[in-house]
Amino acid sequence: MPNTTTSDITIRAISAADTYELRHKVLWPGEPMAYIKLGNDEAGLHFGAFRNGKLVSVVSLFIDGSVARFRKFATRPDCQGQGIGSQLLRHVINEARRHGARRLWCDARARNEAFYRAFKLEPEGNRIYRGTEPYILMARDL
């Protein structure tokens, strides 16, 4: 897996366990740590964006034949809005293609729909809720 370096951001493969702290802190801080772990984490490809050697954004990619799904995309709040998540998502799109995926999807928090639309992901189906948080499936062809 190639590393990507843009300005002061380096993106590289990491372990599932390396994603847990940031997943928990950003996505579900009020839940126990076990809540953010996925049963199939070991089957995924996990990537981290590092700024000055510190992990600031994570995402996990799962490939099933020609379909790829990314999950648990989290960027430290003080690093959001700076293009770091965008760099990481571009990396994941390229990795999905590199692994032969022809379609990419995610369950996005509804409030982030515009972010994903910028990457040509479009809503499909109805909103679902995890607790009080609305999500929508978003997908695109690669």
Side-chain angles (χ1 to χ4, degrees):
M1 278 169 247
N3 291 347
T4 302
T5 302
T6 307
S7 67
D8 62 342
I9 303 300
T10 300
I11 296 172
R12 63 178 169 83
I14 59 176
S15 72
D18 289 337
T19 70
Y20 295 160
E21 184 180 346
L22 202 49
R23 278 183 188 179
H24 186 251
K25 213 177 270 186
V26 174
L27 300 175
W28 298 103
E31 298 293 336
M33 180 65 82
Y35 189 81
I36 57 82
K37 295 179 183 179
L38 300 170
N40 65 339
D41 262 334
E42 295 312 312
L45 303 169
H46 310 278
F47 301 98
F50 294 80
R51 174 185 273 160
N52 301 320
K54 298 213 182 295
L55 185 62
V56 297
S57 187
V58 297
V59 67
S60 299
L61 179 66
F62 299 87
I63 300 171
D64 184 8
S66 64
V67 178
R69 177 185 187 188
F70 65 93
R71 302 187 68 185
K72 305 298 184 189
F73 187 12
T75 301
R76 236 173 52 189
D78 64 322
C79 295
Q80 291 176 10
Q82 300 172 28
I84 298 167
S86 294
Q87 288 180 47
L88 187 54
L89 185 52
R90 279 192 291 276
H91 184 85
V92 163
I93 291 168
N94 290 333
E95 282 295 308
R97 282 188 183 119
R98 194 170 76 78
H99 283 86
R102 300 182 51 85
R103 186 133 177 96
L104 180 69
W105 70 282
C106 73
D107 283 325
R109 290 183 178 201
R111 66 177 179 237
N112 296 328
E113 182 178 331
F115 172 80
Y116 292 110
R117 281 181 177 271
F119 291 89
K120 299 185 173 101
L121 283 103
E122 293 294 329
E124 294 184 356
N126 297 318
R127 288 184 180 205
I128 60 169
Y129 286 83
R130 295 202 177 105
T132 59
E133 187 76 44
Y135 281 77
I136 187 148
L137 187 150
M138 298 192 72
R140 67 169 279 186
D141 291 330
L142 295 176

